[in-house]
Amino acid sequence: MPAITADTLTLPRLPELPEAATAWRKVHKVVRAAKFLEGEGFQVRRPFPSLDLAMADPFLLLDHMGAVEYGPGEAKGAPWHPHRGFETVTYMIDGAMQHTDSIGGGGLITDGSTQWMTAGQGILHNEVPPQDLVAAGGLFHGVQLWVNLPRALKLVQPRYQDIAATSASLIASDDGGALVRIIAGELDGHAGPGSTYSPITYLHATVSPGARLAMPWPRDFNALVYVLSGEGTVGPESRPLAEGHLAVLTAGEALTLQAAPTPTPWEILILGGRPINEPVARYGPFVMNTRQELSQAFDDYQAGRLGQIPATHLSPADDQS
Ligand code: MN
């Protein structure tokens, strides 16, 4: 897995938390990701939104793409489409996605890099594997998270942040057995590179077989743990959590996790944010507060007010819709 890695012995460490005096968060619920087809027909595992978990305020959606080994010509993407009212965060662990949008943002998201796109008042974008990866095939593994915007910020100017793999902050567990990449927000005073409108923390941890990972967690944030691969347990009650499963945790001040003693490490995403607590009206690529704002979004899209496909992308070779 070529997500950024490091020798944990040289990294700053998380504090050792007192076992008995810490309010550990327990598991409230475990949700199994359902499978969906997205874009031109690539499969994603989606723990939310689902029947079991409508949303995870302030998060709206989590799509886990792969890991999948594509043959030549098989890799697919999501051609030009609009968004309004929230932010998309795409983290590529293996393989690559080429991003282009209607505000001039764009770049290759690959091998541990992250792209943060604030749709705000409106944007059109194109998320596709690069031609050489499509032609050659190969391993493809990534995650897209949707982060809601509060009512007051739904119509901010769209913004694009390209976050290199090397800019993620790295921190180790207290005994060095786990590596934590801080993609956005902060952990124990260490800040990640992503600049977020809604306060969140977004981590990718690699936990060595049998190792324990414990960390302080803001009391006003929710807490979710999603398994990319491997097995482990969550909470002081050691609830098992396997690949494609998401744990929603209870309130508290700290998280405790442990990888199973299997041959491979436990790869997990740890997510949390301050709930926005506003009504959500969503339809496809638009997430607003009311149905009327949704129909306004459709009208604005039809009228071209969410942006235009750049002229250089209107050639037949590029028109994948
Ligand atoms: Mn999109």
Side-chain angles (χ1 to χ4, degrees), residues 93-114:
I93 299 165
D94 294 287
M97 282 291 242
Q98 180 69 45
H99 173 96
T100 317
D101 66 39
S102 54
I103 60 164
L108 192 67
I109 320 165
T110 185
D111 291 354
S113 67
T114 304

Side-chain angles (χ1 to χ4, degrees), residues 252-314:
E253 63 180 356
L255 312 183
T256 178
L257 309 148
Q258 186 164 21
T262 53
T264 55
W266 196 33
E267 299 284 347
I268 53 177
L269 300 179
I270 305 169
L271 300 169
R274 189 178 301 147
I276 294 172
N277 290 320
E278 288 178 0
V280 173
R282 63 195 295 166
Y283 189 83
F286 307 126
V287 183
M288 305 302 293
N289 296 111
T290 67
R291 293 182 60 86
Q292 192 194 339
E293 289 164 351
L294 276 185
S295 71
Q296 183 66 50
F298 268 104
D299 290 349
D300 288 347
Y301 173 51
Q302 299 292 352
R305 289 189 289 265
L306 296 198
Q308 304 287 334
I309 298 175
T312 53
H313 281 263
L314 289 173

Side-chain angles (χ1 to χ4, degrees), residues 29 35 54 59 130 136 161 175 178 203 217 219 224 230 256 258 264:
K29 178 189 240 184
K35 289 180 179 167
F59 306 114
Q161 300 173 65
D175 65 0
L203 314 174
W217 202 250
R219 280 189 178 273
L224 308 167
T256 178
Q258 186 164 21
T264 55

Side-chain angles (χ1 to χ4, degrees), residues 81 83 125 127:
H81 59 277
H83 290 295
H125 75 162
E127 312 162 271

Side-chain angles (χ1 to χ4, degrees), residues 10-317:
T10 64
L11 297 176
R13 301 273 176 109
L14 286 162
E16 198 169 338
L17 299 170
E19 202 58 54
T22 298
W24 301 106
R25 290 178 182 239
K26 298 186 176 72
V27 175
H28 165 64
K29 178 189 240 184
V30 171
V31 174
R32 188 184 296 247
K35 289 180 179 167
F36 292 88
L37 287 180
E38 258 307 318
E40 296 170 302
F42 60 90
Q43 192 180 77
V44 297
R45 281 183 279 190
R46 181 176 295 166
F48 62 85
S50 66
L51 282 178
D52 293 331
L53 184 62
M55 59 186 284
D57 191 7
F59 306 114
L60 297 162
L61 173 144
L62 183 66
D63 271 356
H64 179 196
M65 307 168 270
V68 56
E69 185 77 39
Y70 282 123
E74 287 179 358
K76 296 181 174 70
W80 289 97
H81 59 277
H83 290 295
R84 172 179 276 181
F86 62 99
E87 305 184 84
T88 68
V89 186
T90 307
Y91 175 49
M92 289 303 296
I93 299 165
D94 294 287
M97 282 291 242
Q98 180 69 45
H99 173 96
T100 317
D101 66 39
S102 54
I103 60 164
L108 192 67
I109 320 165
T110 185
D111 291 354
S113 67
T114 304
Q115 175 237 81
W116 199 291
M117 189 189 77
T118 306
Q121 67 185 33
I123 200 165
L124 266 55
H125 75 162
N126 183 33
E127 312 162 271
V128 294
Q131 289 301 326
D132 59 338
L133 195 151
V134 175
L139 184 61
F140 185 91
H141 192 196
V143 182
Q144 187 169 90
L145 174 71
W146 290 13
V147 185
N148 203 1
L149 286 167
R151 188 191 303 270
L153 294 172
K154 285 232 175 258
L155 300 182
V156 291
Q157 286 294 325
R159 179 173 73 171
Y160 180 83
Q161 300 173 65
D162 201 353
I163 303 170
T166 49
S167 68
S169 303
L170 304 177
I171 187 167
S173 55
D174 62 353
D175 65 0
L179 167 68
V180 182
R181 304 161 189 85
I182 308 173
I183 295 166
E186 66 167 52
L187 174 62
D188 193 42
H190 299 264
S195 171
T196 79
Y197 281 107
S198 303
I200 70 160
T201 293
Y202 183 11
L203 314 174
H204 170 196
T206 301
V207 190
S208 305
R212 181 176 172 215
L213 171 61
M215 64 183 74
W217 202 250
R219 280 189 178 273
D220 60 339
F221 278 20
N222 63 355
L224 308 167
V225 180
Y226 178 75
V227 181
L228 296 170
S229 65
E231 294 169 36
T233 61
V234 181
E237 73 273 47
S238 298
R239 179 91 167 255
L241 203 68
E243 180 173 327
H245 291 191
L246 174 100
V248 181
L249 306 190
T250 62
E253 63 180 356
L255 312 183
T256 178
L257 309 148
Q258 186 164 21
T262 53
T264 55
W266 196 33
E267 299 284 347
I268 53 177
L269 300 179
I270 305 169
L271 300 169
R274 189 178 301 147
I276 294 172
N277 290 320
E278 288 178 0
V280 173
R282 63 195 295 166
Y283 189 83
F286 307 126
V287 183
M288 305 302 293
N289 296 111
T290 67
R291 293 182 60 86
Q292 192 194 339
E293 289 164 351
L294 276 185
S295 71
Q296 183 66 50
F298 268 104
D299 290 349
D300 288 347
Y301 173 51
Q302 299 292 352
R305 289 189 289 265
L306 296 198
Q308 304 287 334
I309 298 175
T312 53
H313 281 263
L314 289 173
S315 66

